[in-house]
Amino acid sequence: MNDFITALAGAAPLASGWAWHGVAMRRRLAAARRDPLSGLPTRAAFERRAERALARGPHVVIVMDLDGFKHLNDVFGHAAGDEAIRVTAASLNDALSGEHGSVAARLGGDEFSAVVPLRDRASLPWLLGGLHGEVTAPFRHGGCDLAVGASIGACVTTDLPAPSLSLALRRADEAMYEAKRNGGGWRIADGPALTHTTTAGRRTGRPGTAGREAA
């Protein structure tokens, strides 16, 4: 009996150590799925969750790009730019807080995306307008009131021949570009047909396509 108790006592620290190791591993995995600046899911995590969401029914896929972000960085410094990213992420979460089942992400730089269940198409302008208003509201940094603009594009998956995340993102990106060309705001893609040329599978002119030939 004494030997059994001694063995249990010796095993307890080992079991405790493995339990803590498991907790630490789960925390590291969760952190790897989050963008450290915005706290939003990374692109890879977002795409996995978005693909599953689209398979469950109609959604609106949103691509948003900040306007005037480079100017903010150049004039007020990178700390102000970082704060703009954090505030944008918080605004995105706040604007979608009532949309159960939605998922948002920072795709990189000053570009964000979201997938939101489509319950009533008539309410889509309200959703996009509310998101634009949240993101472009002034924020306080370094004793100054700062602000960025935003261009938002949206694609409704019921407008596509099949619920394809890649095509929906591409159409939302094209709609976002049209909004940006017209001074910002939001725009909904009209159908599934691509409206811009492609470079390396992406809209020509997007970051990362410079120097490549258009398809």
mmCIF file with all atom_site columns, all heavy atoms in Angstrom, residues 124-146:
data_model
loop_
_atom_site.group_PDB
_atom_site.id
_atom_site.type_symbol
_atom_site.label_atom_id
_atom_site.label_alt_id
_atom_site.label_comp_id
_atom_site.label_asym_id
_atom_site.label_entity_id
_atom_site.label_seq_id
_atom_site.pdbx_PDB_ins_code
_atom_site.Cartn_x
_atom_site.Cartn_y
_atom_site.Cartn_z
_atom_site.occupancy
_atom_site.B_iso_or_equiv
_atom_site.pdbx_formal_charge
_atom_site.auth_seq_id
_atom_site.auth_comp_id
_atom_site.auth_asym_id
_atom_site.auth_atom_id
_atom_site.pdbx_PDB_model_num
ATOM 1   N N   . LEU A 1 124 ? -28.795 44.833 -46.367 1.00 0.00 ? 124 LEU A N   1
ATOM 2   C CA  . LEU A 1 124 ? -27.369 44.867 -46.684 1.00 0.00 ? 124 LEU A CA  1
ATOM 3   C C   . LEU A 1 124 ? -26.821 46.291 -46.772 1.00 0.00 ? 124 LEU A C   1
ATOM 4   O O   . LEU A 1 124 ? -25.744 46.569 -46.224 1.00 0.00 ? 124 LEU A O   1
ATOM 5   C CB  . LEU A 1 124 ? -27.095 44.096 -47.968 1.00 0.00 ? 124 LEU A CB  1
ATOM 6   C CG  . LEU A 1 124 ? -25.636 43.933 -48.398 1.00 0.00 ? 124 LEU A CG  1
ATOM 7   C CD1 . LEU A 1 124 ? -24.788 43.370 -47.263 1.00 0.00 ? 124 LEU A CD1 1
ATOM 8   C CD2 . LEU A 1 124 ? -25.541 43.038 -49.627 1.00 0.00 ? 124 LEU A CD2 1
ATOM 9   N N   . PRO A 1 125 ? -27.503 47.240 -47.423 1.00 0.00 ? 125 PRO A N   1
ATOM 10  C CA  . PRO A 1 125 ? -26.989 48.625 -47.425 1.00 0.00 ? 125 PRO A CA  1
ATOM 11  C C   . PRO A 1 125 ? -26.847 49.196 -46.015 1.00 0.00 ? 125 PRO A C   1
ATOM 12  O O   . PRO A 1 125 ? -25.901 49.942 -45.736 1.00 0.00 ? 125 PRO A O   1
ATOM 13  C CB  . PRO A 1 125 ? -28.047 49.390 -48.229 1.00 0.00 ? 125 PRO A CB  1
ATOM 14  C CG  . PRO A 1 125 ? -28.639 48.361 -49.138 1.00 0.00 ? 125 PRO A CG  1
ATOM 15  C CD  . PRO A 1 125 ? -28.678 47.106 -48.312 1.00 0.00 ? 125 PRO A CD  1
ATOM 16  N N   . TRP A 1 126 ? -27.763 48.851 -45.141 1.00 0.00 ? 126 TRP A N   1
ATOM 17  C CA  . TRP A 1 126 ? -27.668 49.304 -43.743 1.00 0.00 ? 126 TRP A CA  1
ATOM 18  C C   . TRP A 1 126 ? -26.419 48.730 -43.077 1.00 0.00 ? 126 TRP A C   1
ATOM 19  O O   . TRP A 1 126 ? -25.701 49.435 -42.365 1.00 0.00 ? 126 TRP A O   1
ATOM 20  C CB  . TRP A 1 126 ? -28.919 48.883 -42.989 1.00 0.00 ? 126 TRP A CB  1
ATOM 21  C CG  . TRP A 1 126 ? -28.873 49.205 -41.528 1.00 0.00 ? 126 TRP A CG  1
ATOM 22  C CD1 . TRP A 1 126 ? -29.201 50.379 -40.921 1.00 0.00 ? 126 TRP A CD1 1
ATOM 23  C CD2 . TRP A 1 126 ? -28.463 48.322 -40.479 1.00 0.00 ? 126 TRP A CD2 1
ATOM 24  N NE1 . TRP A 1 126 ? -29.015 50.296 -39.554 1.00 0.00 ? 126 TRP A NE1 1
ATOM 25  C CE2 . TRP A 1 126 ? -28.564 49.044 -39.260 1.00 0.00 ? 126 TRP A CE2 1
ATOM 26  C CE3 . TRP A 1 126 ? -28.015 46.995 -40.450 1.00 0.00 ? 126 TRP A CE3 1
ATOM 27  C CZ2 . TRP A 1 126 ? -28.235 48.477 -38.026 1.00 0.00 ? 126 TRP A CZ2 1
ATOM 28  C CZ3 . TRP A 1 126 ? -27.690 46.433 -39.216 1.00 0.00 ? 126 TRP A CZ3 1
ATOM 29  C CH2 . TRP A 1 126 ? -27.800 47.178 -38.038 1.00 0.00 ? 126 TRP A CH2 1
ATOM 30  N N   . LEU A 1 127 ? -26.153 47.426 -43.315 1.00 0.00 ? 127 LEU A N   1
ATOM 31  C CA  . LEU A 1 127 ? -24.967 46.786 -42.728 1.00 0.00 ? 127 LEU A CA  1
ATOM 32  C C   . LEU A 1 127 ? -23.692 47.439 -43.234 1.00 0.00 ? 127 LEU A C   1
ATOM 33  O O   . LEU A 1 127 ? -22.798 47.786 -42.448 1.00 0.00 ? 127 LEU A O   1
ATOM 34  C CB  . LEU A 1 127 ? -24.964 45.295 -43.068 1.00 0.00 ? 127 LEU A CB  1
ATOM 35  C CG  . LEU A 1 127 ? -23.684 44.519 -42.715 1.00 0.00 ? 127 LEU A CG  1
ATOM 36  C CD1 . LEU A 1 127 ? -23.510 44.423 -41.201 1.00 0.00 ? 127 LEU A CD1 1
ATOM 37  C CD2 . LEU A 1 127 ? -23.708 43.119 -43.332 1.00 0.00 ? 127 LEU A CD2 1
ATOM 38  N N   . LEU A 1 128 ? -23.583 47.635 -44.550 1.00 0.00 ? 128 LEU A N   1
ATOM 39  C CA  . LEU A 1 128 ? -22.366 48.193 -45.127 1.00 0.00 ? 128 LEU A CA  1
ATOM 40  C C   . LEU A 1 128 ? -22.192 49.660 -44.744 1.00 0.00 ? 128 LEU A C   1
ATOM 41  O O   . LEU A 1 128 ? -21.075 50.108 -44.452 1.00 0.00 ? 128 LEU A O   1
ATOM 42  C CB  . LEU A 1 128 ? -22.399 48.044 -46.650 1.00 0.00 ? 128 LEU A CB  1
ATOM 43  C CG  . LEU A 1 128 ? -22.433 46.607 -47.180 1.00 0.00 ? 128 LEU A CG  1
ATOM 44  C CD1 . LEU A 1 128 ? -22.580 46.592 -48.687 1.00 0.00 ? 128 LEU A CD1 1
ATOM 45  C CD2 . LEU A 1 128 ? -21.196 45.825 -46.750 1.00 0.00 ? 128 LEU A CD2 1
ATOM 46  N N   . GLY A 1 129 ? -23.285 50.406 -44.733 1.00 0.00 ? 129 GLY A N   1
ATOM 47  C CA  . GLY A 1 129 ? -23.209 51.808 -44.323 1.00 0.00 ? 129 GLY A CA  1
ATOM 48  C C   . GLY A 1 129 ? -22.818 51.946 -42.866 1.00 0.00 ? 129 GLY A C   1
ATOM 49  O O   . GLY A 1 129 ? -22.032 52.834 -42.502 1.00 0.00 ? 129 GLY A O   1
ATOM 50  N N   . GLY A 1 130 ? -23.363 51.069 -42.018 1.00 0.00 ? 130 GLY A N   1
ATOM 51  C CA  . GLY A 1 130 ? -22.999 51.103 -40.608 1.00 0.00 ? 130 GLY A CA  1
ATOM 52  C C   . GLY A 1 130 ? -21.542 50.758 -40.384 1.00 0.00 ? 130 GLY A C   1
ATOM 53  O O   . GLY A 1 130 ? -20.857 51.383 -39.561 1.00 0.00 ? 130 GLY A O   1
ATOM 54  N N   . LEU A 1 131 ? -21.048 49.764 -41.127 1.00 0.00 ? 131 LEU A N   1
ATOM 55  C CA  . LEU A 1 131 ? -19.637 49.383 -41.032 1.00 0.00 ? 131 LEU A CA  1
ATOM 56  C C   . LEU A 1 131 ? -18.745 50.533 -41.475 1.00 0.00 ? 131 LEU A C   1
ATOM 57  O O   . LEU A 1 131 ? -17.751 50.851 -40.800 1.00 0.00 ? 131 LEU A O   1
ATOM 58  C CB  . LEU A 1 131 ? -19.371 48.153 -41.903 1.00 0.00 ? 131 LEU A CB  1
ATOM 59  C CG  . LEU A 1 131 ? -17.917 47.702 -42.027 1.00 0.00 ? 131 LEU A CG  1
ATOM 60  C CD1 . LEU A 1 131 ? -17.320 47.392 -40.667 1.00 0.00 ? 131 LEU A CD1 1
ATOM 61  C CD2 . LEU A 1 131 ? -17.817 46.487 -42.950 1.00 0.00 ? 131 LEU A CD2 1
ATOM 62  N N   . HIS A 1 132 ? -19.092 51.182 -42.566 1.00 0.00 ? 132 HIS A N   1
ATOM 63  C CA  . HIS A 1 132 ? -18.289 52.304 -43.048 1.00 0.00 ? 132 HIS A CA  1
ATOM 64  C C   . HIS A 1 132 ? -18.263 53.435 -42.024 1.00 0.00 ? 132 HIS A C   1
ATOM 65  O O   . HIS A 1 132 ? -17.210 54.036 -41.752 1.00 0.00 ? 132 HIS A O   1
ATOM 66  C CB  . HIS A 1 132 ? -18.844 52.815 -44.382 1.00 0.00 ? 132 HIS A CB  1
ATOM 67  C CG  . HIS A 1 132 ? -18.006 53.861 -45.014 1.00 0.00 ? 132 HIS A CG  1
ATOM 68  N ND1 . HIS A 1 132 ? -18.204 55.220 -44.805 1.00 0.00 ? 132 HIS A ND1 1
ATOM 69  C CD2 . HIS A 1 132 ? -16.932 53.772 -45.853 1.00 0.00 ? 132 HIS A CD2 1
ATOM 70  C CE1 . HIS A 1 132 ? -17.306 55.900 -45.480 1.00 0.00 ? 132 HIS A CE1 1
ATOM 71  N NE2 . HIS A 1 132 ? -16.523 55.055 -46.139 1.00 0.00 ? 132 HIS A NE2 1
ATOM 72  N N   . GLY A 1 133 ? -19.398 53.714 -41.419 1.00 0.00 ? 133 GLY A N   1
ATOM 73  C CA  . GLY A 1 133 ? -19.457 54.767 -40.416 1.00 0.00 ? 133 GLY A CA  1
ATOM 74  C C   . GLY A 1 133 ? -18.623 54.449 -39.186 1.00 0.00 ? 133 GLY A C   1
ATOM 75  O O   . GLY A 1 133 ? -17.941 55.330 -38.637 1.00 0.00 ? 133 GLY A O   1
ATOM 76  N N   . GLU A 1 134 ? -18.649 53.192 -38.752 1.00 0.00 ? 134 GLU A N   1
ATOM 77  C CA  . GLU A 1 134 ? -17.853 52.765 -37.587 1.00 0.00 ? 134 GLU A CA  1
ATOM 78  C C   . GLU A 1 134 ? -16.362 52.927 -37.862 1.00 0.00 ? 134 GLU A C   1
ATOM 79  O O   . GLU A 1 134 ? -15.606 53.445 -37.037 1.00 0.00 ? 134 GLU A O   1
ATOM 80  C CB  . GLU A 1 134 ? -18.161 51.306 -37.259 1.00 0.00 ? 134 GLU A CB  1
ATOM 81  C CG  . GLU A 1 134 ? -19.514 51.054 -36.646 1.00 0.00 ? 134 GLU A CG  1
ATOM 82  C CD  . GLU A 1 134 ? -19.455 50.937 -35.139 1.00 0.00 ? 134 GLU A CD  1
ATOM 83  O OE1 . GLU A 1 134 ? -18.382 51.194 -34.551 1.00 0.00 ? 134 GLU A OE1 1
ATOM 84  O OE2 . GLU A 1 134 ? -20.479 50.590 -34.550 1.00 0.00 ? 134 GLU A OE2 1
ATOM 85  N N   . VAL A 1 135 ? -15.935 52.460 -39.027 1.00 0.00 ? 135 VAL A N   1
ATOM 86  C CA  . VAL A 1 135 ? -14.500 52.425 -39.334 1.00 0.00 ? 135 VAL A CA  1
ATOM 87  C C   . VAL A 1 135 ? -13.933 53.822 -39.551 1.00 0.00 ? 135 VAL A C   1
ATOM 88  O O   . VAL A 1 135 ? -12.777 54.099 -39.196 1.00 0.00 ? 135 VAL A O   1
ATOM 89  C CB  . VAL A 1 135 ? -14.251 51.533 -40.577 1.00 0.00 ? 135 VAL A CB  1
ATOM 90  C CG1 . VAL A 1 135 ? -12.824 51.670 -41.073 1.00 0.00 ? 135 VAL A CG1 1
ATOM 91  C CG2 . VAL A 1 135 ? -14.554 50.080 -40.237 1.00 0.00 ? 135 VAL A CG2 1
ATOM 92  N N   . THR A 1 136 ? -14.718 54.714 -40.118 1.00 0.00 ? 136 THR A N   1
ATOM 93  C CA  . THR A 1 136 ? -14.209 56.048 -40.447 1.00 0.00 ? 136 THR A CA  1
ATOM 94  C C   . THR A 1 136 ? -14.403 57.065 -39.324 1.00 0.00 ? 136 THR A C   1
ATOM 95  O O   . THR A 1 136 ? -14.025 58.234 -39.483 1.00 0.00 ? 136 THR A O   1
ATOM 96  C CB  . THR A 1 136 ? -14.877 56.581 -41.732 1.00 0.00 ? 136 THR A CB  1
ATOM 97  O OG1 . THR A 1 136 ? -16.306 56.601 -41.549 1.00 0.00 ? 136 THR A OG1 1
ATOM 98  C CG2 . THR A 1 136 ? -14.537 55.698 -42.923 1.00 0.00 ? 136 THR A CG2 1
ATOM 99  N N   . ALA A 1 137 ? -14.963 56.646 -38.203 1.00 0.00 ? 137 ALA A N   1
ATOM 100 C CA  . ALA A 1 137 ? -15.129 57.566 -37.072 1.00 0.00 ? 137 ALA A CA  1
ATOM 101 C C   . ALA A 1 137 ? -13.758 57.959 -36.518 1.00 0.00 ? 137 ALA A C   1
ATOM 102 O O   . ALA A 1 137 ? -12.831 57.136 -36.482 1.00 0.00 ? 137 ALA A O   1
ATOM 103 C CB  . ALA A 1 137 ? -15.966 56.916 -35.978 1.00 0.00 ? 137 ALA A CB  1
ATOM 104 N N   . PRO A 1 138 ? -13.556 59.196 -36.097 1.00 0.00 ? 138 PRO A N   1
ATOM 105 C CA  . PRO A 1 138 ? -12.262 59.625 -35.552 1.00 0.00 ? 138 PRO A CA  1
ATOM 106 C C   . PRO A 1 138 ? -11.879 58.824 -34.307 1.00 0.00 ? 138 PRO A C   1
ATOM 107 O O   . PRO A 1 138 ? -12.743 58.354 -33.558 1.00 0.00 ? 138 PRO A O   1
ATOM 108 C CB  . PRO A 1 138 ? -12.499 61.094 -35.195 1.00 0.00 ? 138 PRO A CB  1
ATOM 109 C CG  . PRO A 1 138 ? -13.671 61.514 -36.025 1.00 0.00 ? 138 PRO A CG  1
ATOM 110 C CD  . PRO A 1 138 ? -14.533 60.301 -36.153 1.00 0.00 ? 138 PRO A CD  1
ATOM 111 N N   . PHE A 1 139 ? -10.576 58.658 -34.117 1.00 0.00 ? 139 PHE A N   1
ATOM 112 C CA  . PHE A 1 139 ? -10.075 58.008 -32.906 1.00 0.00 ? 139 PHE A CA  1
ATOM 113 C C   . PHE A 1 139 ? -8.968  58.871 -32.315 1.00 0.00 ? 139 PHE A C   1
ATOM 114 O O   . PHE A 1 139 ? -8.341  59.670 -33.004 1.00 0.00 ? 139 PHE A O   1
ATOM 115 C CB  . PHE A 1 139 ? -9.564  56.590 -33.210 1.00 0.00 ? 139 PHE A CB  1
ATOM 116 C CG  . PHE A 1 139 ? -8.391  56.535 -34.161 1.00 0.00 ? 139 PHE A CG  1
ATOM 117 C CD1 . PHE A 1 139 ? -7.081  56.520 -33.689 1.00 0.00 ? 139 PHE A CD1 1
ATOM 118 C CD2 . PHE A 1 139 ? -8.602  56.484 -35.533 1.00 0.00 ? 139 PHE A CD2 1
ATOM 119 C CE1 . PHE A 1 139 ? -6.005  56.454 -34.560 1.00 0.00 ? 139 PHE A CE1 1
ATOM 120 C CE2 . PHE A 1 139 ? -7.532  56.424 -36.415 1.00 0.00 ? 139 PHE A CE2 1
ATOM 121 C CZ  . PHE A 1 139 ? -6.232  56.415 -35.928 1.00 0.00 ? 139 PHE A CZ  1
ATOM 122 N N   . ARG A 1 140 ? -8.754  58.705 -31.039 1.00 0.00 ? 140 ARG A N   1
ATOM 123 C CA  . ARG A 1 140 ? -7.794  59.535 -30.319 1.00 0.00 ? 140 ARG A CA  1
ATOM 124 C C   . ARG A 1 140 ? -6.446  58.841 -30.252 1.00 0.00 ? 140 ARG A C   1
ATOM 125 O O   . ARG A 1 140 ? -6.361  57.659 -29.901 1.00 0.00 ? 140 ARG A O   1
ATOM 126 C CB  . ARG A 1 140 ? -8.304  59.795 -28.904 1.00 0.00 ? 140 ARG A CB  1
ATOM 127 C CG  . ARG A 1 140 ? -7.593  60.908 -28.145 1.00 0.00 ? 140 ARG A CG  1
ATOM 128 C CD  . ARG A 1 140 ? -8.038  62.251 -28.635 1.00 0.00 ? 140 ARG A CD  1
ATOM 129 N NE  . ARG A 1 140 ? -7.441  63.352 -27.857 1.00 0.00 ? 140 ARG A NE  1
ATOM 130 C CZ  . ARG A 1 140 ? -7.462  64.595 -28.229 1.00 0.00 ? 140 ARG A CZ  1
ATOM 131 N NH1 . ARG A 1 140 ? -8.067  64.956 -29.347 1.00 0.00 ? 140 ARG A NH1 1
ATOM 132 N NH2 . ARG A 1 140 ? -6.910  65.538 -27.492 1.00 0.00 ? 140 ARG A NH2 1
ATOM 133 N N   . HIS A 1 141 ? -5.388  59.574 -30.614 1.00 0.00 ? 141 HIS A N   1
ATOM 134 C CA  . HIS A 1 141 ? -4.035  59.014 -30.504 1.00 0.00 ? 141 HIS A CA  1
ATOM 135 C C   . HIS A 1 141 ? -3.038  60.152 -30.324 1.00 0.00 ? 141 HIS A C   1
ATOM 136 O O   . HIS A 1 141 ? -3.041  61.121 -31.094 1.00 0.00 ? 141 HIS A O   1
ATOM 137 C CB  . HIS A 1 141 ? -3.665  58.205 -31.750 1.00 0.00 ? 141 HIS A CB  1
ATOM 138 C CG  . HIS A 1 141 ? -2.255  57.694 -31.717 1.00 0.00 ? 141 HIS A CG  1
ATOM 139 N ND1 . HIS A 1 141 ? -1.869  56.607 -30.951 1.00 0.00 ? 141 HIS A ND1 1
ATOM 140 C CD2 . HIS A 1 141 ? -1.136  58.136 -32.344 1.00 0.00 ? 141 HIS A CD2 1
ATOM 141 C CE1 . HIS A 1 141 ? -0.576  56.412 -31.116 1.00 0.00 ? 141 HIS A CE1 1
ATOM 142 N NE2 . HIS A 1 141 ? -0.106  57.318 -31.950 1.00 0.00 ? 141 HIS A NE2 1
ATOM 143 N N   . GLY A 1 142 ? -2.197  60.044 -29.311 1.00 0.00 ? 142 GLY A N   1
ATOM 144 C CA  . GLY A 1 142 ? -1.155  61.038 -29.082 1.00 0.00 ? 142 GLY A CA  1
ATOM 145 C C   . GLY A 1 142 ? -1.693  62.439 -28.897 1.00 0.00 ? 142 GLY A C   1
ATOM 146 O O   . GLY A 1 142 ? -1.053  63.405 -29.314 1.00 0.00 ? 142 GLY A O   1
ATOM 147 N N   . GLY A 1 143 ? -2.867  62.556 -28.295 1.00 0.00 ? 143 GLY A N   1
ATOM 148 C CA  . GLY A 1 143 ? -3.457  63.855 -28.063 1.00 0.00 ? 143 GLY A CA  1
ATOM 149 C C   . GLY A 1 143 ? -4.132  64.459 -29.287 1.00 0.00 ? 143 GLY A C   1
ATOM 150 O O   . GLY A 1 143 ? -4.555  65.615 -29.254 1.00 0.00 ? 143 GLY A O   1
ATOM 151 N N   . CYS A 1 144 ? -4.243  63.682 -30.378 1.00 0.00 ? 144 CYS A N   1
ATOM 152 C CA  . CYS A 1 144 ? -4.868  64.178 -31.608 1.00 0.00 ? 144 CYS A CA  1
ATOM 153 C C   . CYS A 1 144 ? -6.069  63.310 -31.981 1.00 0.00 ? 144 CYS A C   1
ATOM 154 O O   . CYS A 1 144 ? -6.098  62.109 -31.696 1.00 0.00 ? 144 CYS A O   1
ATOM 155 C CB  . CYS A 1 144 ? -3.870  64.154 -32.765 1.00 0.00 ? 144 CYS A CB  1
ATOM 156 S SG  . CYS A 1 144 ? -2.404  65.182 -32.527 1.00 0.00 ? 144 CYS A SG  1
ATOM 157 N N   . ASP A 1 145 ? -7.031  63.917 -32.638 1.00 0.00 ? 145 ASP A N   1
ATOM 158 C CA  . ASP A 1 145 ? -8.139  63.178 -33.230 1.00 0.00 ? 145 ASP A CA  1
ATOM 159 C C   . ASP A 1 145 ? -7.753  62.825 -34.660 1.00 0.00 ? 145 ASP A C   1
ATOM 160 O O   . ASP A 1 145 ? -7.573  63.718 -35.500 1.00 0.00 ? 145 ASP A O   1
ATOM 161 C CB  . ASP A 1 145 ? -9.423  64.011 -33.221 1.00 0.00 ? 145 ASP A CB  1
ATOM 162 C CG  . ASP A 1 145 ? -10.013 64.148 -31.828 1.00 0.00 ? 145 ASP A CG  1
ATOM 163 O OD1 . ASP A 1 145 ? -9.905  63.181 -31.046 1.00 0.00 ? 145 ASP A OD1 1
ATOM 164 O OD2 . ASP A 1 145 ? -10.561 65.219 -31.522 1.00 0.00 ? 145 ASP A OD2 1
ATOM 165 N N   . LEU A 1 146 ? -7.617  61.527 -34.934 1.00 0.00 ? 146 LEU A N   1
ATOM 166 C CA  . LEU A 1 146 ? -7.200  61.050 -36.243 1.00 0.00 ? 146 LEU A CA  1
ATOM 167 C C   . LEU A 1 146 ? -8.326  60.239 -36.872 1.00 0.00 ? 146 LEU A C   1
ATOM 168 O O   . LEU A 1 146 ? -9.246  59.789 -36.179 1.00 0.00 ? 146 LEU A O   1
ATOM 169 C CB  . LEU A 1 146 ? -5.943  60.188 -36.129 1.00 0.00 ? 146 LEU A CB  1
ATOM 170 C CG  . LEU A 1 146 ? -4.746  60.820 -35.410 1.00 0.00 ? 146 LEU A CG  1
ATOM 171 C CD1 . LEU A 1 146 ? -3.601  59.824 -35.317 1.00 0.00 ? 146 LEU A CD1 1
ATOM 172 C CD2 . LEU A 1 146 ? -4.299  62.085 -36.128 1.00 0.00 ? 146 LEU A CD2 1
#
